[in-house]
């Protein structure tokens, strides 16, 4: 079983979506989710932290190893990796920076509060085979987000 949740800006759209689902034999509900981490239509805050942390970390890592390759910086323990070419060092610095920055950004994002759900939502529990049809039917009423999660 999967739970499909659609978030709308307009309450009338949510009402029409619920009527449409009822006419097809589904039992929609207006979910009252106390914890936004269990709302599949909510965007988790760590996603933004992962994205920005990975980008900033990747750029800083590439710059750091490029500076080491051009002899602008020198770290005694890291000097053996400088036997690689400049392009390899920049790629390696970017990869390590993305990993470290993404981790730090994700942890930073988890420490932030989850934003409150905005707008009315419609949820329905369906089998795995019916998820696509229900999502398509909900999308006909202009939702801002439609997501599903296993129940």
């Amino acid at each position: 079983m999967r739970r499909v949740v659609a978030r709308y800006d307009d309450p009338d759209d949510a009402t029409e979506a619920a009527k449409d689902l009822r006419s097809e034999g589904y039992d929609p509900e207006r979910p009252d989710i106390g914890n936004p981490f269990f709302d599949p239509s909510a965007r988790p805050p760590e996603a933004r932290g992962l994205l920005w942390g990975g980008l900033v970390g990747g750029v800083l890592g590439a710059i750091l190893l490029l500076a080491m390759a051009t002899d602008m910086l020198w770290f005694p323990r890291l000097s053996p990796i400088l036997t690689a070419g400049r392009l390899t060092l920049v790629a390696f610095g970017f990869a390590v920076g993305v990993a470290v920055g993404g981790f730090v950004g994700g942890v930073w994002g988890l420490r932030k509060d989850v934003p409150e759900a905005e707008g009315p939502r419609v949820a329905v529990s369906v089998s795995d085979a019916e998820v696509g049809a229900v999502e398509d039917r909900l999308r006909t009423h202009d939702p801002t987000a439609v997501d599903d999660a296993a129940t």
Side-chain angles (χ1 to χ4, degrees), residues 84-106:
R86 282 190 183 158
L87 186 60
T88 305
L89 283 174
V90 170
F92 179 68
F94 185 78
V96 170
V98 165
V100 172
F103 176 76
V104 171

Side-chain angles (χ1 to χ4, degrees), residues 13 19 21 34-35 88 100 109 120 149:
D13 288 339
K19 286 180 187 176
L21 288 174
N35 188 348
T88 305
V100 172

Side-chain angles (χ1 to χ4, degrees), residues 50-86:
L50 284 170
L51 174 69
W52 285 107
L55 287 174
V56 170
V59 169
L60 290 178
I63 289 171
L64 177 69
L65 282 186
L66 182 63
M68 287 178 65
T70 58
D71 293 330
M72 292 176 71
L73 289 174
W74 181 69
F75 295 106
R77 297 281 185 182
L78 296 178
S79 60
I81 67 169
L82 294 176
T83 58
R86 282 190 183 158

Side-chain angles (χ1 to χ4, degrees), residues 3-8 31 33 38-42 121-124 135 138 145-149:
R3 183 170 190 216
V4 181
V5 179
R7 177 173 294 148
Y8 295 91
I33 298 172
F38 296 111
D39 181 4
S41 67
R121 292 171 291 173
V122 175
V124 63
E135 284 181 350
L138 287 170
V146 177
D147 287 307
D148 63 280

Side-chain angles (χ1 to χ4, degrees), residues 126-145:
V126 295
S127 67
D128 290 344
E130 297 173 310
V131 170
V134 169
E135 284 181 350
D136 290 341
R137 187 159 295 280
L138 287 170
R139 283 192 178 102
T140 61
H141 299 283
D142 300 324
T144 56

